[in-house]
Amino acid sequence: MFVPSLAWRDSRRMRRRLLLYVSAMALGVAALVAIRSFGENLETALATQARDVFGADLIVWNWGNFNDANEAFVDSLAEAHSGTVAREVSTPSMALFPQSGGTRLIQVRALDGDFPFYGQITTTPAEAADTYLDDGKALVDAALLLQYDAAIGDSIRIGTEQYQIAGQIDGITGQTGIEALVGPRVYVPLDRLDRELLRFGSRFTTSAYFRFDAPGTNADAILTAIEPQLEAMDLRGDSVGSAQGDWSDALGNLTRFLELVGFIALLLGGLGVASAVSVYVRQKADTVATLRCLGATAGQTLRIYTLQALVLGFIGAVLGAALGVAVQTLLPRVLGPFLPVTVETAFVWEPVLQGLGVGVVVALAFAMLPLLAVRRIPPLRALRADARARGIDLWRGLLILLLIAGIGAFAWMQTGGDLRAAIGFPAGVIVAFGVLALAAKLVQTLARRLVPKRAPYAWRQGLANLYRPGNQTLVLLLTLGLGTFLLMTLTVVQRSLLAPIALPDDGEGRPDVILFDIQADQREAVADLVREQGLPLIDEVPLIAMRLTAINGRETEDIRLDSTDERPDWALVREYRSTYRAHTEDSEEVLEGAMVPRVPADTAVIPVSVELDLANELGVGLGDRLTWRVAGRPMETEIASLRRVDWARVQPNFFVVFPEGPLDEAPQFGIITTRAGTPERSARLQRAAIERFPNISAVDVGLVLGLIEGVLGRVAFVLQFMALFSVGTGLVVLAGAVRIARLQRIAESVLLRTLGANRGQVRRILVAEYLFLGLLAALTGIGLALLGGWALATFVFETPFVLAWEWIAGTLVAVPALTIAIGLAGSRGLLSRPPLDVLRAEV
């Protein structure tokens, strides 16, 4: 009982001081527990709601129309398994609200049958979902009605058909908030859909939904059995089981990534623990030496303080677990726009126990870094203050290596065994911490050597406090700087992503209205319409639909069936919409080879230009052969050039560009771009186009940019929400540092006042110190964020780097202000001590 009882008695005067520092661990543990608990609840929701989200047991679908063989296959499949089938055609199209004249690109879902079989479409009035098909009416997204000042009972026109609005769609099981934002849906009866919307060149899907009522019917097994038939008929299929697996993988990746962000907050808390225990060990050095003189061994003294650290770490982990359970109730609201299911918050033991374990281990590991010094305090220290152990502590080096390995192991588990993540994550953490540590050391050196002699005394003393004995400069720059770095990096990257697609402010430049699905016999008439509106005709782009059938003579179907070939299916089976022209656009750059402007129409092997990323996905380069099926006939091509395309530019961009000549007479449709300049002129053009050419769709680029900004804003909000745990940890560490150093500051304050300083001067010294700390943390964090944001923008997103000046200015004000506020709040009462206290032991 010697070690526990002595550990308890020895900690009496330090419990409250250390507890505040260890509470920094709570935020990191809270982040882990909250995300893991949410992940468990999300898996439960996916398992119980997958069928409701999917809406059916099995889906068979295809781009374009079903032919007679497809229809016969669907009917036979339903009959063979005693199933019920519903059909749907889904296509983007323009909607016109006659009452207001408003137009909008929407997603039309034309249904025939009782779909969804599971889940529901929630409407106002409630009965509209059951009656709109029989009544030949439409269901319209509630946001559309609000945006265009329409009401139930008004009309909506799609193509040449006009529908009475039977009800507003309040919610669709499985539809995320992002989907509703990007593509608002309108449901109409299939037998009333304007077939002009499905002409050649229109992009639409035809789907057959199946419900199997026979007991024991396994939709996954049916899908596996019919896959050869689907491939033979160029159809695709999905079952509720396969969809659930896809959702689980995607959402699992999201939660694992967020856990890594939360783990950074936990590491910051660990740094706070290490700093607090380091100060604690220095204060307890004489006590340890006395115990050694009284016969205690080095191992016993180490166990005394290790037990204290273990108990405090456990308390911090318990607080964090409790906070995490509370925080998880907020996550469904934060992540709701990205989720296809409704997540019910329930208490789950496993994430709580995992969070407790990780929190205690991290707290103890970081505490042991300074605690190992206890073994090396000699008994002579009780008689001589300068007595200390010499040499290198190998155990501390081994512990650091174990910490790095533990961080790598955590990243490896979180990323499903990704070795690159296991190496890259700890390497990135070390680099970030190393840069911040070097910045802190540089600041201390400069503060010591470059303090202006003519500066006011309070400012010189505040700067001197950055390098005084027992200073917390290093740990505070690490924690506050890293939190600032995370938040600013997200902001800088978001700005860089949005900047290239922003419209220019002047009346010239990029198009802001794109008219597409223009048939060949409509092209001149649509061009005339644009001119009639007084708008410039910026570009006319022909589009030809085609499919890739072979690469260097090897059939794409053979490549797909080859399990050793890693080329992705999307690049092999998609329908490509290519164009022909003799020049590059301003969004393109030829990297290798050269574009061929024109060749004879009967050229046997046509030279084409291929987008670089697609070439990499297909594993091809200059001189390789690609065979295409265009309008039912094969077309052999050879890669003559590779281009980099700026996909962020909202304008027609293409994977494959042909020279003029061979495709001039191929079946095609077109795109016309123009610049309206104002929302009013854009709306007027869209109304005129819809009235004269119902099959044409229009994209208002300004609206698209707003949608992109909204989506990126929601993504950034989720990441910033998690980054706030790191910022909060830094502020808690700051508060703990103020508390830990309180005794030293009281002595300094009283000594200064004994030497003649007044309260205002002492207060100004404190303000100067915390101002410098906050300002340096902000500058270091911003500098790292600019470097990281530039790297992400340049090498990952391949977009120009853009500075967010207003956020930089705001951070330079906010971080120092918070640092000063917390520092002064923690120093409350310090100025009220009378000078006589310096001569008494009460301090």
Side-chain angles (χ1 to χ4, degrees), residues 201-508:
S202 299
R203 195 166 183 82
F204 64 96
T205 59
T206 301
S207 305
Y209 299 95
F210 296 86
R211 183 185 67 198
F212 303 120
D213 296 323
T217 304
N218 188 323
D220 296 332
I222 294 174
L223 178 61
T224 301
I226 65 174
E227 277 182 348
Q229 295 169 274
L230 295 178
E231 288 186 8
M233 291 185 288
D234 204 19
L235 297 175
R236 293 152 183 79
D238 291 298
S239 67
V240 64
S242 63
Q244 181 183 345
D246 293 340
W247 296 329
S248 182
D249 290 343
L251 295 174
N253 289 336
L254 171 64
T255 56
R256 283 190 288 270
F257 170 75
L258 294 179
E259 284 180 22
L260 287 176
V261 178
F263 188 63
I264 292 177
L266 189 62
L267 294 179
L268 291 177
L271 287 175
V273 170
S275 176
V277 173
S278 178
V279 174
Y280 184 53
V281 168
R282 287 199 298 268
Q283 293 176 346
K284 289 293 184 179
D286 292 340
T287 302
V288 172
T290 302
L291 289 173
R292 295 294 307 280
C293 290
L294 294 175
T297 66
Q300 285 176 320
T301 55
L302 178 62
R303 287 195 293 274
I304 289 170
Y305 295 104
T306 299
L307 182 59
Q308 292 179 1
L310 180 63
V311 171
L312 287 170
F314 179 75
I315 293 173
V318 169
L319 292 174
L323 179 61
V325 171
V327 169
Q328 73 153 325
T329 61
L330 299 176
L331 292 179
R333 299 181 183 180
V334 174
L335 298 173
F338 304 93
L339 302 179
V341 293
T342 301
V343 180
E344 298 292 336
T345 301
F347 181 82
V348 185
W349 271 109
E350 184 178 356
V352 173
L353 295 177
Q354 289 174 345
L356 285 173
V358 173
V360 170
V361 168
V362 171
L364 185 60
F366 276 94
M368 290 303 296
L369 286 173
L371 278 179
L372 287 174
V374 170
R375 302 161 27 255
R376 297 161 59 82
I377 296 177
L380 188 60
R381 174 66 185 260
L383 301 176
R384 290 178 53 189
D386 61 343
R388 65 188 63 189
R390 305 290 180 182
I392 299 174
D393 192 343
L394 295 178
W395 285 102
R396 180 175 293 181
L398 179 60
L399 181 58
I400 292 173
L401 291 177
L402 288 175
L403 269 173
I404 294 172
I407 295 171
F410 184 87
W412 182 79
M413 290 186 294
Q414 292 304 110
T415 55
D418 188 337
L419 185 59
R420 290 177 300 177
I423 298 173
F425 182 72
V429 171
I430 291 171
V431 168
F433 282 1
V435 171
L436 287 166
L438 287 175
K441 291 298 183 183
L442 179 63
V443 164
Q444 290 175 320
T445 301
L446 293 177
R448 184 188 296 270
R449 297 182 180 180
L450 302 178
V451 176
K453 294 182 178 180
R454 295 185 179 181
Y457 170 74
W459 294 97
R460 286 188 283 118
Q461 185 64 31
L463 274 172
N465 283 347
L466 298 181
Y467 58 85
R468 62 171 169 75
N471 70 83
Q472 299 292 296
T473 302
L474 176 60
V475 70
L476 291 181
L477 279 185
L478 282 173
T479 51
L480 291 176
L482 193 60
T484 304
F485 160 62
L486 289 174
L487 278 177
M488 279 299 300
T489 299
L490 295 171
T491 302
V492 168
V493 170
Q494 183 185 9
R495 286 298 178 86
S496 296
L497 289 174
L498 287 173
I501 58 177
L503 290 172
D505 293 331
D506 56 20
E508 301 177 357

Side-chain angles (χ1 to χ4, degrees), residues 45-46 48-56 59 109 115-116 118-120 172-176 179 185 209 240 243-244 247 339-342:
L46 283 173
T48 57
Q49 301 175 39
R51 182 170 289 181
D52 291 343
V53 171
F54 198 62
I59 298 177
R109 300 192 64 173
F115 180 81
Y118 310 101
Q120 61 181 341
I172 303 172
T173 303
Q175 177 176 287
T176 66
E179 287 179 299
R185 300 182 182 184
Y209 299 95
V240 64
Q244 181 183 345
W247 296 329
L339 302 179
V341 293
T342 301

Side-chain angles (χ1 to χ4, degrees), residues 196 199 517-527 672 692-696:
E196 286 295 305
R199 291 178 62 180
D517 286 347
I518 303 171
Q519 302 299 312
D521 58 357
Q522 296 175 324
R523 189 175 301 172
E524 285 300 324
V526 175
I672 287 180
R692 290 176 56 178
F693 309 101
N695 63 292
I696 290 179

Side-chain angles (χ1 to χ4, degrees), residues 590-663:
V590 176
L591 301 177
E592 297 182 44
M595 286 190 68
V596 179
R598 186 174 185 86
V599 297
D602 58 353
T603 301
V605 180
I606 304 166
V608 296
S609 180
V610 178
E611 192 267 340
L612 180 64
D613 291 334
L614 176 65
N616 291 334
E617 294 283 7
L618 293 175
V620 295
L622 293 181
D624 285 325
R625 297 285 184 93
L626 302 175
T627 306
W628 306 89
R629 186 172 70 243
V630 182
R633 67 183 184 89
M635 185 169 285
E636 190 77 13
T637 65
E638 182 178 294
I639 300 177
S641 67
L642 297 174
R643 293 168 297 120
R644 176 182 288 123
V645 177
D646 182 4
W647 296 103
R649 298 280 289 273
V650 185
Q651 66 182 62
N653 290 310
F654 300 92
F655 282 118
V656 183
V657 176
F658 283 69
E660 295 177 349
L663 295 179

Side-chain angles (χ1 to χ4, degrees), residues 148-170:
Y148 294 100
D149 195 25
I152 297 169
D154 290 346
S155 296
I156 182 173
R157 178 177 152 187
I158 304 171
T160 59
E161 290 285 340
Q162 190 156 303
Y163 308 87
Q164 185 180 13
I165 300 174
Q168 71 177 28
I169 301 173
D170 298 317

